[in-house]
Amino acid sequence: MAEQESLEFGKADFVLMDTVSMPEFMANLRLRFEKGRIYTFIGEVVVSVNPYKSLNIYGRDTIEQYKGRELYERPPHLFAIADAAYKAMKRRSKDTCIVISGESGAGKTEASKYIMQYIAAITNPSQRAEIERVKNMLLKSNCVLEAFGNAKTNRNDNSSRFGKYMDINFDFKGDPIGGHINNYLLEKLLQGGSDQMLRSLHLQKSLSSYSYIHVGAQLKSSINDAAEFKVVADAMKVIGFKPEEIQTAYKILAAILHLGNLKFVVDGDTTLIEDGKLVSIIAELLSTKTDMVEKALLYRTVATGRDVIDKQHTEQEASYGRDAFAKAIYERLFCWIVSRINDIIAVKNSDTTIHGKNTVIGVLDIYGFEIFDNNSFEQFCINYCNEKLQQLFIQLVLKQEQEEYQREGIPWKHIDYFNNQIIVDLVEQQHKGIIAILDDACMNVGKVTDEMFLEALNSKLGKHGHFSSRKLCASDKILEFDRDFRIRHYAGDVVYSVVGFIDKNKDTLFQDFKRLMYNSSNPVLKNMWPEGKLSITEVTKRPLTAATLFKNSMIALVDNLASKEPYYVRCIKPNDMKSPQIFDDERCRHQVEYLGLLENVRVRRAGFAFRQTYEKFLHRYKMISEFTWPNHDLPSDKEAVKKLVEYCGFQDDVAYGKTKIFIRTPRTLFTLEELRAQMLVRIVLFLQKVWRGTLARMRYKRTKAALTIIRYYRRYKVKSYIHEVARRFHGIKTMRDYGKHVQWPTPPKVLHRFEEVLQAVFNRWRASQLIKTIPASDLPQVRAKVAAVEMLKGQRADLGLQRAWEGNYLASKPDTPQTSGTFVPVANELKRKDKYMNVLFSCHVRKVNRFSKVEDRAIFVTDRHLYKMDPTKQYKVMKTIPLYNLTGLSVSNGKDQLVVFHTKDNKDLIVCLFSKQPTHESRIGELVGVLVNHFKSEKRHLQVNVTNPVQCSLHGKKCTVSVETRLNQPQPDFTKNRSGFILSVPGN
């Protein structure tokens, strides 16, 4: 059963119709056509309706959907049948065939191309070059054969005028390794000739210029002939035709077109060619002499005993000979093309002992049943072919059904159907059939006419229920006297005109033309006419007639198909206007009748609409019953299916075979599908839940594993880093620089912060080691220098680190030789009075106040106060600032000695340090270092700003102090400006 589509598209399998009737069949066929569903199953038969438009259902994505799937798993499609045939061939090593039938214009040729395309797409997964070559050859051969064997008719733009049966050979792995093509009855129509011949062939582009194809030129066509010609030319090159062979094919086609334009005139008793130039062109194209072509067209060489005479044609005989010659050339060309393709695609170097057994898939694309206004010998042969194929179809389908019922132990119910054996016998029966009567007429000595042949038919077949003529039914005015006869085919009544039957069956071609072509200097042409080497006096065996040859080929074809496992594509033409919108009910109903599709449905159902193996039935429906979901524990799948059917209450509507269950009515199947659809929603939700849980657990495990790996990796990297640090710094206590020169290893990213801390620890340790070597009396000075570096490094150039820091410069004789004796008592008195413990810094300064008054003063900094003193008044204390009132210092970024002491009461002290001995000694770094170090020892913070100009506040008034360097400036000095003060310092 096909995959269930929505009922808005109709039933995907005609077997599932509620009632088997023509109205319901046609309603379902129309609905699917109108909804764009051109394929419908009848069990394992595909019914295809020509859509007359391109559909996007043949691409690679669609191929993948059908590859390896069972018929019932996907919607109806040609690919489903192609895959079923391929699987049967590959799994069971059994030859299979796909029979594509239907009338002209029903889409058979396109169907065969899509089947070939599918088989090529699913084979050779390893992309072996030889297999690809064979596949390409098989596909390319299609368009070449179509170009030479198809024609544009008033019913079909690409009508097959020949039957094609292609065997594709596969190796034991299922890859194509070669093939073989048989062709049947190339109809003698020349409308397939190409209009794109080169100028060198003396051709014009206008199709209407040539009498053989001017009728076809007037028909509307959907085919781009120019593009198709290029495709065919490229395909012939790919297949392996040599350039000279391709050129010969073009020359033959051109010669045929020119032959059609030859006209004969009569001058007295003599027949002449109207345009002698055409004869020269034909001779040039056929690589022979002009006079020989002219003689073959106007004369017939006849042997009478030992004498040979040239008998001149009448105008009628010359025209007949010309047309027969053109048709024969075209047929020989087509047969030669088929032969060349077969030589190229034939299986080569295949040894079954080495390569295993070869298997075959046959694809039959043959002309469909034809009923024209004027039906002649060609339609008679074509319709006989369809009778044979219909007979085979019914026999094989019935046989398959009977065999399946017998295998499964199900009683077989007889089915009434039309057996067309009576019509086949009417045509082919030995001594009594139409072909035998026609051959007898052709073999009679003397002048035999078509009317005489019709009289013989009336005489021998007058009582046959499927044959009639005007003589037998005088009241039937549809039939003409002495011209028409009617056969009641399975597809309907067809009236045939006997005109031309005798000549076409004899297929007479004057021996002169055969010798002419054999004597061509073109070796390709010469090889097409081997019988031309016979002398006119040599007696040859009478050749078989065209009808007998065709009958023999049909019998061989049917025998070939019967030996294979068949699959069918039944093509239907929806209308005669080639419209994608029109569904002609009467036209389609007639095709459904003569294709026997309704009988096919009845045979397929045979009391049971559906059958499936127990395993596959369970696989599809086991979720319906708790006894079978998710897996059953019963003795066999058959018992499990019984339990499931009984659970649903359908036990009275089924039968149990040995390996399959048979269901009588489609309603039971639809109910099962509905129950399955309901359960699938719950199963999908359950599966989603389980799958999401599985995904979450998988993600958790992956994340956990990743974190574990990361943790162990980090631990490894940390250990490696620490071991490397330990190795490099081993024994640094004995080094002179305590490891300063040791290069630190690169840490992992996670240890960057740790490295900083570790380096800080190392630096502190190294510093402690260095400090141990420093006398205790020097430690305060070292700490002060360290503090100065922390505050000013990179912001001021000279911090005075290279010299010893005196600290109390006012008590130093070099700095104050005259007044140091005066300062010391003052300092001692302040110590007694203010109870300070240590002197931090003292120095002479130049200060400026808010009144812009510049004076020399001294500053004395202890661990408790900052004193401003007047050295000219024996270091009288002019101002005392408690250190707890000091909020910060500001210095410039130059070499000057500017210092601004910031206080909480906004009464900043602005001074410039200076030394008398040595002159211009920098003491900024020392002042900043001792103050910052002192504040740090008391766990207080002292803000130090390095900027130019310096911001300050004098009694709440904001101002700035900028520093300028001036040449010839003897010593630092303050001057007032608009924003505050300028400290001018010496520039040398």
Side-chain angles (χ1 to χ4, degrees), residues 28-72:
N28 191 59
L29 190 67
R30 168 187 276 275
L31 175 61
R32 291 185 64 78
F33 174 77
E34 291 173 347
K35 294 290 186 178
R37 299 301 194 270
I38 63 170
Y39 299 120
T40 312
F41 282 139
I42 301 178
E44 295 180 353
V45 175
V46 168
V47 178
S48 169
V49 182
N50 193 338
Y52 287 119
K53 63 181 178 181
S54 297
L55 298 176
N56 186 27
I57 57 172
Y58 305 102
R60 186 74 215 183
D61 291 344
T62 307
I63 290 173
E64 289 299 322
Q65 291 175 17
Y66 286 86
K67 184 178 178 181
R69 306 293 288 272
E70 299 297 335
L71 270 176
Y72 66 88

Side-chain angles (χ1 to χ4, degrees), residues 414-441:
H414 176 72
I415 300 162
D416 291 327
Y417 68 96
F418 173 66
N419 188 341
N420 67 336
Q421 182 65 48
I422 188 172
I423 302 174
V424 173
D425 290 343
L426 170 67
V427 175
E428 70 175 20
Q429 191 173 15
Q430 292 285 344
H431 309 300
K432 297 180 180 180
I434 294 175
I435 291 177
I437 296 170
L438 179 60
D439 285 353
D440 288 343

Side-chain angles (χ1 to χ4, degrees), residues 847-865:
K847 72 97 181 178
V848 64
N849 62 16
R850 58 177 173 158
F851 303 112
S852 304
K853 186 176 181 180
V854 180
E855 295 175 312
D856 288 339
R857 291 287 186 266
I859 59 170
F860 178 47
V861 184
T862 69
D863 56 6
R864 299 194 66 184
H865 295 88

Side-chain angles (χ1 to χ4, degrees), residues 697-808:
R697 285 187 290 275
M698 289 169 61
R699 282 194 295 266
Y700 167 75
K701 289 179 180 178
R702 283 198 299 267
T703 304
K704 184 179 179 181
L707 290 174
T708 301
I709 292 170
I710 291 170
R711 185 168 67 252
Y712 276 90
Y713 181 72
R714 283 179 175 174
R715 187 178 300 171
Y716 159 75
K717 294 294 285 186
V718 167
K719 285 183 178 180
S720 299
Y721 174 74
I722 292 174
H723 289 157
E724 182 64 16
V725 169
R727 186 188 67 79
R728 294 190 184 191
F729 285 87
H730 180 68
I732 58 172
K733 286 184 178 181
T734 61
M735 298 178 185
R736 290 186 60 186
D737 61 354
Y738 295 104
K740 180 180 180 182
H741 70 282
V742 176
Q743 184 74 28
W744 285 81
T746 303
K749 188 177 291 186
V750 71
L751 290 183
H752 278 324
R753 178 67 186 131
F754 173 75
E755 182 197 39
E756 294 173 1
V757 174
L758 192 60
Q759 288 182 355
V761 170
F762 168 73
N763 291 333
R764 290 175 67 86
W765 173 83
R766 184 171 172 274
S768 68
Q769 295 300 110
L770 293 173
I771 288 172
K772 287 179 182 179
T773 64
I774 300 173
S777 59
D778 292 341
L779 286 178
Q781 186 176 144
V782 171
R783 292 192 180 95
K785 287 185 177 182
V786 170
V789 169
E790 289 176 348
M791 289 292 143
L792 303 177
K793 186 176 181 181
Q795 300 186 76
R796 284 184 66 94
D798 183 12
L799 302 182
L801 300 176
Q802 304 303 320
R803 63 178 180 82
W805 287 359
E806 294 290 336
N808 192 359

Side-chain angles (χ1 to χ4, degrees), residues 579-643:
S579 169
Q581 281 87 34
I582 299 175
F583 184 88
D584 187 331
D585 280 286
E586 185 59 31
R587 190 84 174 77
C588 293
R589 186 192 60 77
H590 179 63
Q591 293 172 76
V592 169
E593 286 178 345
Y594 76 65
L595 286 173
L597 298 185
L598 214 55
E599 285 79 5
N600 190 190
V601 176
R602 292 194 182 100
V603 168
R604 180 63 181 167
R605 284 179 66 152
F608 295 97
F610 176 76
R611 74 286 311 268
Q612 189 55 269
T613 61
Y614 294 122
E615 179 187 3
K616 291 177 180 177
F617 185 87
L618 267 181
H619 181 73
R620 187 168 184 85
Y621 300 112
K622 63 181 180 179
M623 70 287 298
I624 294 175
S625 170
E626 60 185 17
F627 300 107
T628 54
W629 178 259
N631 294 298
H632 68 84
D633 56 0
L634 295 167
S636 66
D637 287 346
K638 182 177 181 179
E639 293 300 318
V641 169
K642 285 184 177 180
K643 197 76 173 176

Side-chain angles (χ1 to χ4, degrees), residues 21 69 140 207 227 393 575 772 791 968:
S21 65
R69 306 293 288 272
K140 294 293 184 184
L207 293 176
F393 173 72
N575 60 77
K772 287 179 182 179
M791 289 292 143
N968 303 319

Side-chain angles (χ1 to χ4, degrees), residues 78-96:
L78 286 173
F79 292 168
I81 284 290
D83 195 79
Y86 179 74
K87 284 204 300 287
M89 179 274 298
K90 189 173 180 180
R91 290 174 180 173
R92 303 196 293 272
S93 294
K94 183 175 178 61
D95 292 345
T96 61

